[in-house]
Amino acid sequence: MAERPARKDAQRNRARLLETATQVFHEVGADAPFDLIAVRAGVSNATLYRHFPTRRQLLTAVYAQTIDALCAEARRRVEDGDDEALFDWFGVVVDRMQDSRGLRETLVAAYALAPEEPTPEVDEWHERIRVTAEPLFTRALHRGRIRSSLPWPEVLALVTSVAGAAGPDRTAAARMLAVVVAGLRTPESTAHRTAPPPRA
């Protein structure tokens, strides 16, 4: 019977550590000291290391939350049924990727330092996003909103590359994404969006 409260405490500690690490990484950078994260989370260093023995594991867990959020946003838009949902989600993807840019770069560097260690989570992240958001692409395709010249994986890769190319510049990212989206839209979709409202 004593194991259940202990398990709940461990879950709460893990959740608190992830929330705190996300805030600290955003404020200080992805190379922030573990001591600072533990102090702000109100736990001991031993507790932090018990949940996340290495920085790479903590970075991976924190970045996984970005993937969770992108998938949740995609599912919500799938349920909404809006014709413009795919293009709206593209904006969310670029924003989230820019928010987590420093974290992602540090994580990539951590992977590079230990190339012999497997990184199954990266493939899993890509697959989760691809599968979760694909219904948005399929709907846009069936409703004549997006060109059929590129398959979904290539469309997704093109959109995500905008955040990397723009760096931290959100204005540049918005301009670049607008160009990408304009190229992906069908002429009918573009005409539908730019048509002036009917006069009263």
Side-chain angles (χ1 to χ4, degrees):
M1 296 293 292
E3 291 182 3
R4 188 168 298 170
R7 199 156 46 237
K8 288 182 178 178
D9 286 344
Q11 291 171 352
R12 281 195 294 268
N13 284 338
R14 178 182 170 84
R16 190 182 307 123
L17 282 166
L18 280 175
E19 180 181 358
T20 304
T22 301
Q23 294 171 350
V24 171
F25 288 154
H26 182 72
E27 294 171 11
V28 181
D31 57 349
F34 265 29
D35 289 353
L36 176 60
I37 296 170
V39 168
R40 286 204 187 178
V43 303
S44 66
N45 281 4
T47 298
L48 172 55
Y49 281 104
R50 186 161 57 248
H51 286 283
F52 305 104
T54 67
R55 179 175 297 274
R56 172 171 157 170
Q57 289 177 341
L58 179 57
L59 289 168
T60 298
V62 171
Y63 192 71
Q65 295 179 122
T66 297
I67 306 302
D68 292 341
L70 287 176
C71 289
E73 292 282 358
R75 283 191 295 270
R76 183 172 68 80
R77 285 166 173 76
V78 169
E79 293 170 359
D80 285 349
D82 186 354
D83 285 359
E84 292 295 308
L86 175 66
F87 303 110
D88 180 50
W89 184 73
F90 287 163
V92 174
V93 170
V94 172
D95 282 345
R96 290 276 185 175
M97 290 187 68
Q98 285 195 291
D99 284 342
S100 59
R101 178 172 172 267
L103 176 62
R104 187 173 63 255
E105 289 175 350
T106 304
L107 188 55
V108 169
Y111 286 154
L113 288 174
E116 71 283 357
E117 294 184 21
T119 56
E121 62 274 2
V122 175
D123 292 337
E124 180 191 346
W125 291 339
H126 291 165
E127 183 66 6
R128 279 182 59 205
I129 291 177
R130 185 190 68 77
V131 171
T132 305
E134 188 168 15
L136 291 174
F137 173 75
T138 302
R139 184 169 67 205
L141 201 60
H142 288 168
R143 295 183 181 177
R145 299 296 182 185
I146 192 168
R147 299 176 188 271
S148 59
S149 50
L150 290 178
W152 169 233
E154 293 179 14
V155 170
L156 186 57
L158 182 61
V159 170
T160 56
S161 69
V162 168
D169 190 335
R170 292 187 179 275
T171 302
R175 285 197 304 264
M176 294 164 69
L177 182 60
V179 171
V180 168
V181 168
L184 291 171
R185 284 186 179 279
T186 59
E188 295 81 4
S189 174
T190 302
H192 175 78
R193 271 186 62 84
T194 57
R199 295 182 180 180

